[in-house]
Amino acid sequence: MAEANPWSVIQFIAERRIEEAQAQGVFDNLPGRGRPLQLEDMSHVPEDLRMAYKILSNAGCLPPELAERKELNRLVALLDSCKDEQERVRQMQKLRFMVIRAQMRCQRHLQLEQDDPYYDRLLDKLSAAVNEKTGPA
């Protein structure tokens, strides 16, 4: 004799409760009603890691690669607002160190896409720093 699937019982109960809630109008005034869902693009994450990344994201945790990218963006923003030359040099050294560390961890060069906004900002900051030291070309 085949055993009953315990998940079918749970599925039946869940479907029943959803139908009851719909009949009571619980879902009628939800925020975003009538607008398309805003789905996250997880295509860059391997399929077997997507659920784990989503759980970490919902908990406010970032994977190391994204945390590092966030820190790099923060350093570039600091360079934008930095008026003190010594502080700017320190921030650029920290930025250079983080890029080298990422390269070593990946054992390859950190490649920035040319359409990445960070790429343009980084080039602008580095060329501005070089121009300040050497003078305009």
Side-chain angles (χ1 to χ4, degrees):
M1 176 178 240
E3 292 184 30
N5 183 353
W7 294 111
S8 63
V9 173
I10 293 172
Q11 183 178 358
F12 175 77
I13 292 170
E15 292 292 331
R16 188 70 112 144
R17 290 198 178 168
I18 290 171
E19 289 172 3
E20 289 171 4
Q22 283 177 327
Q24 294 171 2
V26 173
F27 303 128
D28 289 347
N29 295 316
L30 292 176
R33 180 174 184 224
R35 288 181 274 159
L37 292 176
Q38 303 227 341
L39 301 175
E40 276 185 69
D41 178 24
M42 300 281 281
S43 62
H44 63 285
V45 178
E47 207 170 304
D48 58 330
L49 295 177
R50 288 181 186 166
M51 182 61 72
Y53 272 48
K54 183 66 177 165
I55 291 169
L56 288 171
S57 173
N58 288 346
C61 299
L62 289 177
E65 302 84 21
L66 294 179
E68 194 168 63
R69 176 60 68 104
K70 191 174 184 179
E71 178 67 11
L72 287 170
N73 286 333
R74 188 186 70 76
L75 285 174
V76 170
L78 270 174
L79 285 172
D80 279 342
S81 61
C82 189
K83 304 290 185 226
D84 180 30
E85 184 63 30
Q86 289 180 341
E87 180 65 22
R88 177 175 284 179
V89 170
R90 275 195 301 272
Q91 295 304 327
M92 288 178 66
Q93 288 171 340
K94 186 174 181 181
L95 184 65
R96 187 176 301 121
F97 171 76
M98 289 183 68
V99 169
I100 291 170
R101 188 176 63 187
Q103 289 172 345
M104 289 174 58
R105 189 180 63 247
C106 298
Q107 294 185 355
R108 61 181 173 80
H109 292 289
L110 180 64
Q111 296 243 302
L112 298 175
E113 307 294 324
Q114 287 197 2
D115 59 342
D116 186 345
Y118 172 72
Y119 178 85
D120 293 331
R121 290 176 63 198
L122 182 59
L123 286 181
D124 290 344
K125 291 299 161 198
L126 292 175
S127 61
V130 168
N131 288 340
E132 285 179 8
K133 289 180 183 177
T134 62

